[in-house]
Amino acid sequence: MKTKNKLLEEKIINNAINYLSGHGIKGWNMNDLAAESGITKRTLYKIIISKEQLVLEIILKSIDETRKKFLEITRSGADYIDCLDRIVSGIPELMKNVYITRFSEILREYPDIEPKIVAENEIFFMEFKEFFQSGVDRGIIKKFVTPEFILDVFQSLLLFFAKYSPSREEALEKLSLALHCMVHGGINKNA
């Protein structure tokens, strides 16, 4: 974004997030966003290059915020299992701003942004792998369960629930349950 007015920038981004969440990618346009933000479309285009660029910025910001929260957990100094539990339990919170149910729609509309999102995710996934590799190295995670496999399973679960859940909340709830089962199993140890 090209503005020194951080309050206006934040207002535009928040309005765009609300439109994205509530109406999808095609349910609003730059006229709607300008009006909601209290500026003209011309002023909006002085600040934002395009709707595509705005959507990309929102997604990249969301990935970065999720990454920072993940790192905060993994670098907290807590016991490894406690960190793992906080990650699994915190998945809905960690991913609340990722437009999980709108992601495929966004990529269909703007396929050119996918490589940028993939590149940003790769940075996050390297840190993800390092965390799980430390669990393998310390004998907490079995050696045959590689960090790459854990990441593949996580991404598979994320994509599945994003595609087949009717709402973001349900997708995140199911993802959290699936990850909890993956980490702790689904067997009642007291039975």
Side-chain angles (χ1 to χ4, degrees):
M1 294 186 116
K2 301 181 273 182
T3 182
K4 291 181 182 177
N5 185 338
K6 293 298 175 192
L7 291 176
L8 179 58
E9 180 180 321
E10 188 174 312
K11 186 176 186 179
I12 291 168
I13 288 175
N14 287 336
N15 288 335
I17 288 169
N18 290 337
Y19 277 129
L20 249 179
S21 297
H23 305 288
I25 196 72
K26 292 184 178 184
W28 58 283
N29 59 40
M30 297 305 266
N31 286 331
D32 298 328
L33 182 59
E36 186 71 25
S37 300
I39 58 177
T40 65
K41 185 177 174 182
R42 184 176 179 172
T43 301
L44 182 62
Y45 275 112
K46 287 180 181 178
I47 298 169
I48 297 170
I49 297 168
S50 66
K51 184 176 177 182
E52 180 177 348
Q53 184 63 34
L54 175 62
V55 169
L56 176 61
E57 284 185 37
I58 289 170
I59 291 171
L60 294 179
K61 180 180 177 189
S62 176
I63 291 168
D64 187 55
E65 288 172 359
T66 303
R67 182 181 151 270
K68 285 177 182 173
K69 289 177 183 176
F70 173 80
L71 289 174
E72 184 180 303
I73 292 170
T74 61
R75 295 178 179 165
S76 68
D79 173 82
Y80 187 88
I81 298 296
D82 290 339
C83 287
L84 191 56
D85 281 338
R86 286 178 55 202
I87 290 167
V88 169
S89 299
I91 287 294
E93 179 63 27
L94 286 173
M95 302 188 75
K96 72 178 180 181
N97 293 323
V98 178
Y99 302 97
I100 193 167
T101 56
R102 302 286 188 188
F103 199 66
S104 59
E105 177 188 355
I106 290 168
L107 291 180
R108 275 193 306 278
E109 185 70 18
Y110 301 123
D112 293 342
I113 70 173
E114 186 171 7
K116 294 173 185 161
I117 295 169
V118 168
E120 191 66 26
N121 271 331
E122 282 302 313
I123 296 167
F124 177 47
F125 292 149
M126 287 304 296
E127 291 161 341
F128 194 87
K129 286 179 186 177
E130 288 172 12
F131 173 72
F132 285 105
Q133 185 60 54
S134 73
V136 171
D137 294 344
R138 293 164 56 192
I140 298 169
I141 297 175
K142 295 178 180 180
K143 291 207 182 290
F144 69 87
V145 183
T146 66
E148 291 78 13
F149 176 74
I150 294 170
L151 182 59
D152 287 345
V153 170
F154 174 76
Q155 288 177 308
S156 299
L157 291 169
L158 180 61
L159 290 172
F160 177 82
F161 291 125
K163 185 173 184 179
Y164 294 110
S165 297
S167 70
R168 177 179 65 182
E169 291 75 22
E170 186 175 323
L172 293 173
E173 185 179 303
K174 288 180 177 180
L175 178 62
S176 182
L177 178 60
L179 293 174
H180 185 79
C181 287
M182 192 171 92
V183 170
H184 296 289
I187 298 171
N188 185 357
K189 295 177 183 175
N190 297 327

